[in-house]
Each structure stands twice: as C-alpha cells, then as structure tokens.
C-alpha cells in the first residue's frame, strides 16, 4: 500500500500535464509533512522499493516554491541519517538511486549554508571519493556538482574536501571524457578557489586543464 501511495505522489513530477499545478501540489504536500511521513515509511519497505521514496523526496526538494521548506523537513527528519542507514551511496546501488541521492544532497548545499554542518556530520566523504571515479558518467558529474555546491556559500568544506582527496579528484575530472563531468568539475574547482586562498596551491594543477 505504501509503495502504491508513493507512486501516486510521484505522478505529478513524471508528467508534463501537471506542470501548471506542480507548485500548488507541492504546497499541499508540504502542509501534510510528506517528507517526514516518507522518511518514516521507508522502514516498512523492501530494499528494492526504497528508491521510490527517495525519488519523491528528491523531486520535492527540487520544487521551485517549497524547496527550502522540504529541505528543512528532510534535515530535521534525519534524512541524512537515513542515507547512511540504507547505504544509498554505496557503489552497488542502482545508478538512478545514487544520482537521486547525490542530487538531493547537492540541492541542500545549494539552497543554504545552514545545511553545511548537517552534511558534514553525515560523513559521506569516503562514499564521494569512490563515486567520483564511478564508471557511470552521470554519477561522476553529480559528485562534481555536489562538490561545487559544498563550496558555493563559504569555505567551510575546503580543508575537509582536501583531507579526503576530493579536490585532487575534482581536478582530475576536469579532463574527464564526459562533457557534463568536465563542466561540473570546472564549477567545483572554481568555487574551491573563490572564498579564500586555502586551496590555491592545491588547485595549481587544474590551471592548464582549465586553459
């Protein structure tokens, strides 16, 4: 029953027919605390059905009008802990699930620096280090986009990303064969040099690649 309900809630985000109503639909779901309810419902689902809930949450956090409200509900509902609990960023998970999860975290980082501490406490650095060299280009691109958003507002993550080898990995992605990965890698290293000079020396190898 939960799976069927989650599929119904996903319908407006799958069909352009609902584009005009999507903000109104999202507002209604926000009032109903759908993020909390979905996070709580995951424990009743089989492993193969969890992506349906994550896809819904990801789409809600990306909704234009209510995105910050949904993001706050996700963080307050221990959504980042849920990502760790179900190992949603593990290499053996489906590409779509990993991409949805990375998109969700990236949107949190993009929306506000207020979520930086929560993302840091989730301690997903090793997972990101593995995924940035994933064989699927869409995953590599999403990791680079996430790194860029982690550096979007402040230099909070600079030394943390350096410690876990994610700065050097992003630099390597500047010469990735995939165009989107290269684009987001440039975004990442650009933001990594924006707020202060902590990473200047470490970013030097990316200069010829950017040129």
């Amino acid at each position: 029953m939960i799976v069927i309900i989650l599929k119904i809630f996903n319908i407006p985000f799958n069909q352009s027919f609902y584009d005009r109503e999507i903000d109104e639909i999202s507002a209604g779901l926000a009032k109903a605390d759908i993020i909390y309810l979905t996070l709580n419902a995951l424990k009743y689902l089989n492993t193969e059905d969890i992506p349906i809930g994550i896809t819904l949450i990801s789409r809600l956090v990306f909704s234009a009008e209510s995105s910050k409200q949904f993001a706050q509900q996700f963080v307050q509902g221990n959504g980042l802990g849920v990502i760790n609990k179900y190992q949603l960023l593990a290499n053996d998970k489906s590409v779509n699930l990993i991409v949805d999860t990375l998109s969700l975290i990236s949107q949190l980082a993009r929306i506000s620096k207020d979520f930086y501490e929560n993302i840091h406490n989730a301690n997903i650095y090793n997972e990101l280090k593995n995924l940035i060299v994933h064989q699927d280009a869409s995953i590599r691109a999403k990791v680079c986009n996430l790194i860029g958003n982690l550096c979007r507002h402040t230099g909070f993550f600079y030394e943390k990303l350096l410690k876990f080898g994610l700065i050097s990995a992003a630099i390597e992605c500047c010469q990735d064969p995939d165009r989107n990965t290269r684009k987001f890698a440039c975004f990442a290293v650009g933001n990594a040099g924006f707020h202060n000079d902590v990473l200047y020396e470490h970013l030097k190898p990316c200069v010829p690649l950017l040129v």
Side-chain angles (χ1 to χ4, degrees):
M1 186 180 293
I2 292 172
V3 170
I4 293 170
I5 292 171
L6 289 174
K7 285 182 177 179
I8 291 171
F9 284 150
N10 269 301
I11 289 173
F13 302 96
N14 289 331
Q15 300 181 16
S16 57
F17 174 80
Y18 293 98
D19 284 354
R20 291 182 179 179
E21 291 83 21
I22 201 68
D23 287 340
E24 187 178 349
I25 292 170
S26 296
L29 292 173
K31 290 179 182 177
D33 291 334
I34 192 64
I35 298 289
Y36 297 129
L37 294 171
T38 302
L39 288 170
N40 186 58
L42 293 180
K43 63 188 176 187
Y44 299 109
L45 300 181
N46 294 324
T47 303
E48 62 268 22
D49 292 324
I50 288 176
I52 299 171
I54 299 302
T55 297
L56 174 62
I57 292 172
S58 181
R59 286 169 172 172
L60 289 171
V61 172
F62 268 89
S63 66
E65 291 296 323
S66 306
S67 59
K68 187 163 187 179
Q69 185 177 357
F70 285 128
Q72 289 171 334
Q73 289 180 5
F74 178 77
V75 171
Q76 291 168 2
N78 193 34
L80 290 162
V82 168
I83 289 174
N84 282 329
K85 178 180 178 180
Y86 296 106
Q87 299 181 319
L88 302 183
L89 293 177
N91 258 318
D92 60 349
K93 293 296 188 290
S94 71
V95 169
N96 287 341
L97 176 58
I98 295 173
V99 167
D100 278 344
T101 305
L102 289 170
S103 297
L104 176 54
I105 302 169
S106 188
Q107 181 70 349
L108 294 179
R110 191 193 72 79
I111 289 173
S112 175
K113 64 181 180 181
D114 295 340
F115 299 127
Y116 276 7
E117 189 76 37
N118 301 96
I119 296 172
H120 166 65
N121 290 336
N123 195 25
I124 57 172
Y125 299 107
N126 286 324
E127 286 85 350
L128 296 182
K129 183 72 181 294
N130 291 329
L131 293 176
I132 202 170
V133 293
H134 196 281
Q135 63 182 6
D136 189 278
S138 63
I139 291 178
R140 298 197 302 274
K142 282 294 181 184
V143 176
C144 290
N145 189 26
L146 171 55
I147 292 172
N149 281 323
L150 291 177
C151 301
R152 180 185 180 93
H153 301 286
T154 72
F156 176 88
F157 280 102
Y158 281 3
E159 293 184 0
K160 301 168 181 65
L161 294 171
L162 179 65
K163 176 183 175 181
F164 286 91
L166 286 164
I167 295 299
S168 58
I171 291 172
E172 283 297 311
C173 285
C174 288
Q175 53 186 344
D176 193 276
D178 175 65
R179 181 178 181 180
N180 272 338
T181 302
R182 292 197 304 273
K183 178 178 73 173
F184 287 117
C186 291
F187 167 62
V189 297
N191 281 359
F194 184 78
H195 299 287
N196 58 53
D197 62 359
V198 167
L199 298 177
Y200 279 6
E201 286 298 315
H202 304 281
L203 290 171
K204 278 184 177 179
C206 77
V207 174
L209 302 179
L210 293 175
V211 171

